[in-house]
Amino acid sequence: MIYLENTELKIAISEKGAELQNIYNKETQLEYLWDGDPAFWGKKSPVLFPIVGTLKNNQFAHNGENFQLSRHGFARDKQFKLTESSSTRVSLTLDADAETLAQYPFLFRFTIVYEIHKNKLNCTYQITNIDVKPLYFSVGAHPAFKVPLEVEFDFSQYYLEFSQPEIAGKWPITAEGLIDENPIPFFHSNNRINLSKELFYGDALVFKHLESSSIRLCNDQSKHGFLFSWSEFPYMGIWSAKDAPFVCIEPWCGIADSVLATGELREKEGMILLTPGQNTARTWSVELY
């Protein structure tokens, strides 16, 4: 286990999947990350790479070949290598290997940087194309936060407050995990989602191209919550397992295949193209109070 610590936060990270294990605020004496109870969902904050969501028939085509790749890709199950470490900043890196090449025929370097400053945790995904051909990929976050944060409150006393009024519709997810053809109305120039267990009985709330760049977890009876911010992630998922005491805030660069998807990787919605030697980065952050 890898730890980051300052006067306000203590963070734990596993080298498996470079997955967050704890986000503890020493001032509030609260743990903010879900505990991973497998009775509901055994993960805490999996990293989604090199795809986000489900592929049609769990496969894609590239240069005339077909490849099998499971939901959300393989990074969450791979062992990352510690490549930089200090008390407040750590880098973990995953390089392509024989196992990844069998599922995804690209040479890549994927580095995740976690850094803390005061009461804020930053997470940056850095992707480099170390191949001699173009690299197609996507990346996304899936952190699960405890709700309620304090035992005296109930899940339904919390709400999510977006930084801007929204008009976006919700994109339904089919039984096969694919995105349906058309969105259904959801936001109506408002910026609030009242949390309830029933809200997630039909799977995640999936949005495209929100106006907001941050979401605040609020409870009018408590001063404690968090501010989650992201940039350059055009898709957003909000999810909880059935009747579970957590909510996931999931900024994504990509999205599950549409029911109309062709299966060609180049044509998959949300894929990012890097030329040989090119790199890019995406960052999300959470302030805990």
Side-chain angles (χ1 to χ4, degrees):
M1 198 68 70
I2 299 163
Y3 297 95
L4 300 178
E5 188 168 2
N6 61 14
T7 56
E8 296 184 40
L9 298 181
K10 186 171 183 179
I11 309 296
I13 306 153
S14 171
E15 287 171 282
K16 182 181 179 182
E19 184 175 0
L20 286 164
Q21 298 298 303
N22 295 98
I23 304 175
Y24 183 74
N25 186 316
K26 294 190 281 188
E27 290 196 345
T28 65
Q29 298 186 354
L30 293 173
E31 172 63 50
Y32 287 76
L33 197 67
W34 160 243
D35 65 11
D37 181 353
F40 293 102
W41 185 56
K43 296 283 190 179
K44 296 184 178 183
S45 182
V47 175
L48 317 182
F49 175 88
I51 59 166
V52 174
T54 303
L55 296 170
K56 189 184 285 188
N57 301 316
N58 288 313
Q59 65 180 20
F60 68 87
H62 184 67
N63 288 345
E65 289 188 74
N66 290 324
F67 297 87
Q68 296 287 322
L69 190 56
S70 60
R71 187 170 188 255
H72 293 323
F74 47 69
R76 57 185 177 165
D77 297 314
K78 296 288 287 182
Q79 200 75 9
F80 280 66
K81 188 181 301 182
L82 183 63
T83 48
E84 178 191 348
S85 181
S86 73
S87 60
T88 59
R89 176 186 166 99
V90 65
S91 297
L92 299 106
T93 297
L94 176 68
D95 285 324
D97 60 23
E99 186 179 57
T100 68
L101 287 167
Q103 306 169 69
Y104 174 72
F106 302 95
L107 295 174
F108 63 85
R109 175 160 294 140
F110 179 31
T111 297
I112 301 175
V113 180
Y114 292 106
E115 188 168 17
I116 54 174
H117 180 68
K118 295 184 179 178
N119 68 328
K120 185 176 183 180
L121 168 66
N122 294 317
C123 175
T124 299
Y125 302 135
Q126 301 173 347
I127 300 92
T128 303
N129 181 358
I130 59 174
D131 213 326
V132 296
K133 60 181 183 292
L135 170 70
Y136 296 88
F137 77 95
S138 194
V139 67
H142 202 312
F145 298 96
K146 283 178 60 178
V147 181
L149 285 172
E150 300 161 274
V151 294
E152 61 265 37
F153 298 115
D154 186 73
F155 189 89
S156 61
Q157 290 178 270
Y158 290 82
Y159 59 93
L160 299 176
E161 185 176 85
F162 291 67
S163 58
Q164 300 293 329
E166 299 289 351
I167 59 172
K170 178 184 76 168
W171 290 84
I173 301 173
T174 70
E176 294 76 30
L178 305 179
I179 301 297
D180 225 332
E181 286 186 59
N182 297 298
I184 58 177
F186 187 86
F187 287 109
H188 302 281
S189 297
N190 60 304
N191 70 333
R192 177 166 165 165
I193 297 176
N194 296 316
L195 293 181
S196 70
K197 300 293 181 63
E198 296 79 13
L199 185 64
F200 303 104
Y201 283 1
D203 210 329
L205 311 179
V206 176
F207 306 106
K208 300 182 183 184
H209 308 295
L210 292 172
E211 298 296 325
S212 298
S213 58
S214 67
I215 295 172
R216 190 179 297 273
L217 179 76
C218 303
N219 175 352
D220 291 336
Q221 305 303 311
S222 173
K223 63 183 180 180
H224 298 303
F226 62 75
L227 176 66
F228 188 99
S229 304
W230 66 93
S231 60
E232 297 184 279
F233 291 88
Y235 306 95
M236 172 59 68
I238 311 290
W239 177 74
S240 182
K242 187 175 181 182
D243 295 325
F246 69 80
V247 66
C248 291
I249 311 295
E250 306 179 39
W252 303 329
C253 285
I255 195 167
D257 271 356
S258 161
V259 293
L260 303 176
T262 66
E264 286 287 339
L265 192 65
R266 289 183 181 88
E267 299 172 3
K268 178 171 171 54
E269 183 177 0
M271 297 304 282
I272 297 169
L273 169 64
L274 292 181
T275 57
Q278 190 179 13
N279 60 74
T280 190
R282 301 288 188 275
T283 299
W284 61 265
S285 64
V286 60
E287 296 178 55
L288 309 135
Y289 54 83

